[in-house]
C-alpha cells in the first residue's frame, strides 16, 4: 500500500518534534554537567597535549 504525502510529512514533522523535544534538551543538560571537549582553561598546566595510550600487545 503506498504511503500518502500526509503520512510522509507527518513522519518528518514527528521526527523533528522528537529531536527538538528530547535529544536537544538532553544534550544541553549533559553539556551543563561536563565539558566533553575539555575546553576549560587551567593556568597550572604547561601543556594541553594528552598523549595517547601505548598500544596493547
Amino acid at each position: 500500500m503506498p504511503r500518502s504525502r500526509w503520512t510522509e510529512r507527518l513522519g518528518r514533522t514527528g521526527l523533528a518534534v522528537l529531536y527538538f523535544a528530547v535529544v536537544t534538551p538532553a544534550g544541553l543538560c549533559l553539556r551543563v554537567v561536563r565539558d566533553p571537549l575539555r575546553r576549560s582553561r587551567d593556568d597550572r598546566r604547561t601543556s594541553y597535549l594528552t598523549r595517547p595510550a601505548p598500544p596493547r600487545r
Side-chain angles (χ1 to χ4, degrees):
M1 177 187 230
R3 296 174 66 176
S4 69
R5 289 184 189 201
W6 289 105
T7 306
E8 291 178 9
R9 189 171 296 156
L10 181 64
R12 284 188 219 135
T13 306
L15 285 175
V17 167
L18 179 70
Y19 180 82
F20 286 109
V22 176
V23 177
T24 302
L28 292 174
C29 289
L30 285 176
R31 282 184 171 266
V32 168
V33 174
R34 65 181 181 95
D35 186 14
L37 296 178
R38 290 180 275 166
R39 294 174 295 186
S40 61
R41 184 167 172 85
D42 187 5
D43 292 331
R44 293 175 286 158
R45 293 181 73 173
T46 59
S47 174
Y48 287 96
L49 177 68
T50 55
R51 304 229 179 242
R56 295 183 182 181
R57 293 183 184 214

